Short mmCIF file of all heavy atoms in Angstrom, two decimals:
data_model
loop_
_atom_site.label_atom_id
_atom_site.label_comp_id
_atom_site.label_asym_id
_atom_site.label_seq_id
_atom_site.Cartn_x
_atom_site.Cartn_y
_atom_site.Cartn_z
N LEU Q 95 9.93 -16.20 17.27
CA LEU Q 95 11.11 -16.36 16.48
C LEU Q 95 12.17 -17.14 17.23
O LEU Q 95 12.32 -16.84 18.45
CB LEU Q 95 11.62 -15.03 15.94
CG LEU Q 95 11.05 -14.45 14.75
CD1 LEU Q 95 11.75 -13.07 14.55
CD2 LEU Q 95 11.16 -15.34 13.57
N ARG Q 96 12.99 -17.96 16.73
CA ARG Q 96 14.20 -18.43 17.23
C ARG Q 96 15.06 -18.83 16.11
O ARG Q 96 14.67 -19.25 14.99
CB ARG Q 96 13.82 -19.73 18.05
CG ARG Q 96 13.11 -20.81 17.33
CD ARG Q 96 12.76 -21.90 18.35
NE ARG Q 96 12.15 -23.04 17.46
CZ ARG Q 96 11.74 -24.18 18.02
NH1 ARG Q 96 12.02 -24.39 19.34
NH2 ARG Q 96 11.18 -25.05 17.29
N GLY Q 97 16.34 -18.59 16.32
CA GLY Q 97 17.39 -18.85 15.26
C GLY Q 97 17.64 -17.70 14.39
O GLY Q 97 17.47 -16.56 14.75
N VAL Q 98 18.15 -18.13 13.16
CA VAL Q 98 18.56 -17.07 12.17
C VAL Q 98 17.89 -17.42 10.86
O VAL Q 98 17.57 -18.57 10.65
CB VAL Q 98 20.12 -16.93 11.97
CG1 VAL Q 98 20.73 -16.52 13.30
CG2 VAL Q 98 20.59 -18.44 11.55
N PRO Q 99 17.75 -16.46 10.02
CA PRO Q 99 17.10 -16.65 8.79
C PRO Q 99 17.84 -17.65 7.86
O PRO Q 99 19.10 -17.44 7.75
CB PRO Q 99 16.95 -15.35 8.01
CG PRO Q 99 17.38 -14.36 8.99
CD PRO Q 99 18.06 -15.08 10.09
N GLU Q 100 17.30 -18.72 7.25
CA GLU Q 100 17.86 -19.61 6.34
C GLU Q 100 17.43 -19.31 4.89
O GLU Q 100 18.30 -19.14 4.02
CB GLU Q 100 17.42 -21.02 6.70
CG GLU Q 100 18.09 -22.11 5.86
CD GLU Q 100 19.49 -22.47 6.06
OE1 GLU Q 100 20.01 -21.99 7.15
OE2 GLU Q 100 20.04 -22.96 5.20
N ARG Q 101 16.13 -19.23 4.64
CA ARG Q 101 15.64 -18.91 3.30
C ARG Q 101 14.59 -17.80 3.53
O ARG Q 101 14.02 -17.88 4.56
CB ARG Q 101 14.99 -20.08 2.77
CG ARG Q 101 16.06 -21.18 2.44
CD ARG Q 101 15.36 -22.49 2.04
NE ARG Q 101 14.64 -22.39 0.72
CZ ARG Q 101 13.86 -23.27 0.24
NH1 ARG Q 101 13.70 -24.47 0.95
NH2 ARG Q 101 13.17 -23.02 -0.91
N GLY Q 102 14.36 -17.09 2.49
CA GLY Q 102 13.31 -16.08 2.58
C GLY Q 102 14.05 -14.74 2.99
O GLY Q 102 15.31 -14.71 3.16
N ARG Q 103 13.27 -13.74 3.04
CA ARG Q 103 13.92 -12.39 3.36
C ARG Q 103 13.59 -11.99 4.77
O ARG Q 103 12.52 -12.31 5.29
CB ARG Q 103 13.32 -11.34 2.41
CG ARG Q 103 13.71 -11.62 1.02
CD ARG Q 103 13.44 -10.52 0.16
NE ARG Q 103 13.86 -10.78 -1.19
CZ ARG Q 103 13.88 -9.91 -2.15
NH1 ARG Q 103 13.50 -8.73 -2.01
NH2 ARG Q 103 14.33 -10.32 -3.32
N ARG Q 104 14.45 -11.15 5.32
CA ARG Q 104 14.17 -10.68 6.60
C ARG Q 104 14.04 -9.14 6.55
O ARG Q 104 14.97 -8.44 6.27
CB ARG Q 104 15.44 -10.97 7.48
CG ARG Q 104 15.35 -10.44 8.90
CD ARG Q 104 16.52 -11.01 9.61
NE ARG Q 104 16.61 -10.38 11.03
CZ ARG Q 104 17.61 -10.42 11.66
NH1 ARG Q 104 18.67 -11.02 11.42
NH2 ARG Q 104 17.57 -9.75 12.94
N ARG Q 105 12.89 -8.74 6.81
CA ARG Q 105 12.55 -7.35 6.79
C ARG Q 105 12.18 -6.98 8.18
O ARG Q 105 11.74 -7.84 9.05
CB ARG Q 105 11.32 -7.04 5.84
CG ARG Q 105 11.60 -7.16 4.38
CD ARG Q 105 10.41 -7.07 3.56
NE ARG Q 105 9.63 -5.97 3.87
CZ ARG Q 105 8.46 -5.72 3.41
NH1 ARG Q 105 7.84 -6.59 2.51
NH2 ARG Q 105 7.61 -4.69 3.67
N PRO Q 106 12.45 -5.78 8.66
CA PRO Q 106 12.25 -5.32 10.04
C PRO Q 106 10.78 -5.52 10.28
O PRO Q 106 9.89 -5.12 9.54
CB PRO Q 106 12.58 -3.91 10.06
CG PRO Q 106 13.57 -3.64 9.00
CD PRO Q 106 13.10 -4.69 7.89
N ALA Q 107 10.47 -6.19 11.33
CA ALA Q 107 9.07 -6.44 11.91
C ALA Q 107 8.20 -7.36 10.94
O ALA Q 107 7.05 -7.43 11.16
CB ALA Q 107 8.34 -5.14 12.26
N ARG Q 108 8.82 -8.03 9.99
CA ARG Q 108 8.06 -8.80 9.08
C ARG Q 108 8.96 -10.13 8.67
O ARG Q 108 9.21 -10.39 7.40
CB ARG Q 108 7.66 -8.01 7.79
CG ARG Q 108 6.54 -7.09 8.25
CD ARG Q 108 5.75 -6.59 7.09
NE ARG Q 108 4.95 -7.49 6.41
CZ ARG Q 108 4.32 -7.15 5.32
NH1 ARG Q 108 4.33 -5.93 4.87
NH2 ARG Q 108 3.53 -8.00 4.76
N PRO Q 109 9.38 -10.90 9.53
CA PRO Q 109 10.13 -12.11 9.23
C PRO Q 109 9.28 -13.14 8.35
O PRO Q 109 8.09 -13.32 8.71
CB PRO Q 109 10.56 -12.63 10.49
CG PRO Q 109 9.79 -12.17 11.52
CD PRO Q 109 9.24 -10.88 11.02
N LEU Q 110 9.96 -13.64 7.37
CA LEU Q 110 9.15 -14.52 6.49
C LEU Q 110 10.19 -15.65 5.94
O LEU Q 110 11.25 -15.26 5.50
CB LEU Q 110 8.53 -13.76 5.32
CG LEU Q 110 7.89 -14.58 4.19
CD1 LEU Q 110 6.63 -15.25 4.79
CD2 LEU Q 110 7.47 -13.61 3.02
N GLY Q 111 9.85 -16.86 5.96
CA GLY Q 111 10.63 -17.92 5.42
C GLY Q 111 11.07 -18.93 6.48
O GLY Q 111 10.47 -19.00 7.56
N GLU Q 112 12.11 -19.66 6.16
CA GLU Q 112 12.60 -20.67 7.06
C GLU Q 112 13.65 -19.99 7.94
O GLU Q 112 14.59 -19.30 7.40
CB GLU Q 112 13.21 -21.78 6.33
CG GLU Q 112 12.12 -22.64 5.72
CD GLU Q 112 12.63 -23.98 5.11
OE1 GLU Q 112 13.75 -24.51 5.50
OE2 GLU Q 112 11.99 -24.62 4.31
N TRP Q 113 13.71 -20.39 9.25
CA TRP Q 113 14.74 -20.05 10.24
C TRP Q 113 15.44 -21.18 10.80
O TRP Q 113 14.70 -22.14 11.13
CB TRP Q 113 14.06 -19.06 11.29
CG TRP Q 113 13.59 -17.76 10.78
CD1 TRP Q 113 12.81 -17.47 9.77
CD2 TRP Q 113 14.11 -16.54 11.35
NE1 TRP Q 113 12.76 -16.12 9.54
CE2 TRP Q 113 13.54 -15.53 10.55
CE3 TRP Q 113 14.97 -16.19 12.35
CZ2 TRP Q 113 13.80 -14.15 10.68
CZ3 TRP Q 113 15.28 -14.85 12.54
CH2 TRP Q 113 14.62 -13.82 11.75
N ARG Q 114 16.70 -21.22 10.76
CA ARG Q 114 17.52 -22.37 11.27
C ARG Q 114 17.85 -22.02 12.81
O ARG Q 114 18.19 -21.00 13.09
CB ARG Q 114 18.68 -22.48 10.50
CG ARG Q 114 19.64 -23.50 10.90
CD ARG Q 114 20.87 -23.61 9.86
NE ARG Q 114 21.26 -22.29 9.27
CZ ARG Q 114 22.23 -21.57 9.77
NH1 ARG Q 114 22.87 -21.94 10.83
NH2 ARG Q 114 22.53 -20.44 9.16
N HIS Q 115 17.87 -23.12 13.59
CA HIS Q 115 18.32 -23.10 14.99
C HIS Q 115 18.77 -24.46 15.36
O HIS Q 115 18.67 -25.41 14.63
CB HIS Q 115 17.08 -22.54 15.87
CG HIS Q 115 15.81 -23.45 15.65
ND1 HIS Q 115 15.67 -24.51 16.39
CD2 HIS Q 115 14.78 -23.20 14.91
CE1 HIS Q 115 14.45 -25.03 16.04
NE2 HIS Q 115 13.96 -24.17 15.14
N PRO Q 116 19.39 -24.61 16.61
CA PRO Q 116 19.96 -25.88 17.01
C PRO Q 116 18.94 -27.10 16.98
O PRO Q 116 19.45 -28.16 16.80
CB PRO Q 116 20.51 -25.56 18.40
CG PRO Q 116 20.74 -24.18 18.37
CD PRO Q 116 19.69 -23.55 17.58
N ARG Q 117 17.70 -26.88 17.17
CA ARG Q 117 16.75 -27.88 17.21
C ARG Q 117 16.11 -28.23 15.86
O ARG Q 117 15.25 -29.06 15.82
CB ARG Q 117 15.64 -27.60 18.22
CG ARG Q 117 16.27 -27.76 19.72
CD ARG Q 117 15.13 -27.63 20.61
NE ARG Q 117 15.56 -26.68 21.68
CZ ARG Q 117 14.71 -25.71 22.24
NH1 ARG Q 117 13.55 -25.61 21.75
NH2 ARG Q 117 15.21 -25.00 23.04
N GLY Q 118 16.51 -27.55 14.77
CA GLY Q 118 15.88 -27.75 13.56
C GLY Q 118 15.57 -26.58 12.81
O GLY Q 118 16.38 -25.47 12.79
N ARG Q 119 14.52 -26.43 12.12
CA ARG Q 119 14.05 -25.35 11.30
C ARG Q 119 12.62 -24.92 11.60
O ARG Q 119 11.80 -25.87 11.84
CB ARG Q 119 14.17 -25.57 9.82
CG ARG Q 119 15.60 -25.84 9.27
CD ARG Q 119 15.61 -26.19 7.94
NE ARG Q 119 16.96 -26.75 7.53
CZ ARG Q 119 17.72 -26.00 6.68
NH1 ARG Q 119 17.40 -24.89 6.28
NH2 ARG Q 119 18.97 -26.44 6.52
N ASP Q 120 12.30 -23.71 11.49
CA ASP Q 120 10.91 -23.15 11.55
C ASP Q 120 10.55 -22.56 10.31
O ASP Q 120 11.30 -21.81 9.69
CB ASP Q 120 10.80 -22.22 12.77
CG ASP Q 120 11.19 -22.84 14.17
OD1 ASP Q 120 11.26 -23.98 14.23
OD2 ASP Q 120 11.43 -22.02 15.04
N PHE Q 121 9.17 -22.56 10.03
CA PHE Q 121 8.77 -21.68 8.98
C PHE Q 121 7.95 -20.58 9.64
O PHE Q 121 7.04 -20.92 10.41
CB PHE Q 121 7.83 -22.48 7.94
CG PHE Q 121 7.40 -21.51 6.91
CD1 PHE Q 121 8.25 -21.36 5.76
CD2 PHE Q 121 6.15 -20.86 6.86
CE1 PHE Q 121 7.80 -20.56 4.77
CE2 PHE Q 121 5.84 -20.05 5.89
CZ PHE Q 121 6.65 -19.80 4.79
N VAL Q 122 8.22 -19.33 9.25
CA VAL Q 122 7.56 -18.23 9.92
C VAL Q 122 7.04 -17.17 8.88
O VAL Q 122 7.67 -17.09 7.87
CB VAL Q 122 8.47 -17.44 10.99
CG1 VAL Q 122 8.95 -18.40 12.08
CG2 VAL Q 122 9.67 -16.90 10.17
N ALA Q 123 5.88 -16.67 9.23
CA ALA Q 123 5.30 -15.53 8.39
C ALA Q 123 4.65 -14.70 9.41
O ALA Q 123 3.46 -14.86 9.80
CB ALA Q 123 4.31 -16.16 7.46
N LEU Q 124 5.46 -13.72 9.92
CA LEU Q 124 5.02 -12.92 11.04
C LEU Q 124 5.00 -11.39 10.63
O LEU Q 124 5.70 -10.94 9.71
CB LEU Q 124 6.01 -13.07 12.16
CG LEU Q 124 6.12 -14.57 12.73
CD1 LEU Q 124 7.35 -14.67 13.63
CD2 LEU Q 124 4.84 -14.90 13.37
N ARG Q 125 4.05 -10.70 11.31
CA ARG Q 125 3.97 -9.17 11.07
C ARG Q 125 3.91 -8.59 12.50
O ARG Q 125 3.11 -9.13 13.42
CB ARG Q 125 2.69 -8.98 10.36
CG ARG Q 125 2.75 -9.34 8.94
CD ARG Q 125 1.44 -8.89 8.29
NE ARG Q 125 1.48 -9.08 6.87
CZ ARG Q 125 0.74 -8.46 6.07
NH1 ARG Q 125 -0.13 -7.60 6.47
NH2 ARG Q 125 0.85 -8.81 4.78
N SER Q 126 4.45 -7.42 12.66
CA SER Q 126 4.24 -6.73 13.91
C SER Q 126 2.83 -6.20 13.94
O SER Q 126 2.16 -5.96 13.04
CB SER Q 126 5.28 -5.54 13.91
OG SER Q 126 4.93 -4.58 12.87
N GLY Q 127 2.24 -6.11 15.12
CA GLY Q 127 1.02 -5.57 15.33
C GLY Q 127 -0.13 -6.76 15.41
O GLY Q 127 -1.32 -6.48 15.62
N TYR Q 128 0.36 -7.97 15.10
CA TYR Q 128 -0.58 -9.14 15.02
C TYR Q 128 -0.12 -10.16 15.99
O TYR Q 128 1.07 -10.38 16.02
CB TYR Q 128 -0.72 -9.72 13.60
CG TYR Q 128 -1.46 -8.83 12.67
CD1 TYR Q 128 -0.76 -7.89 11.97
CD2 TYR Q 128 -2.79 -8.89 12.53
CE1 TYR Q 128 -1.37 -7.02 10.98
CE2 TYR Q 128 -3.46 -8.15 11.57
CZ TYR Q 128 -2.79 -7.22 10.87
OH TYR Q 128 -3.35 -6.36 9.96
N PRO Q 129 -1.06 -10.95 16.63
CA PRO Q 129 -0.57 -12.12 17.42
C PRO Q 129 -0.03 -13.19 16.53
O PRO Q 129 -0.43 -13.28 15.34
CB PRO Q 129 -1.76 -12.45 18.31
CG PRO Q 129 -2.94 -11.96 17.43
CD PRO Q 129 -2.40 -10.64 16.74
#
């Protein structure tokens, strides 16, 4: 993860959606307990 949530929901240990940061945007679909 880097940045802050832009679109999507932010649930503890399950970030999902677009995250905005100084270098652009990332799409993440992450879960705790998984690489």
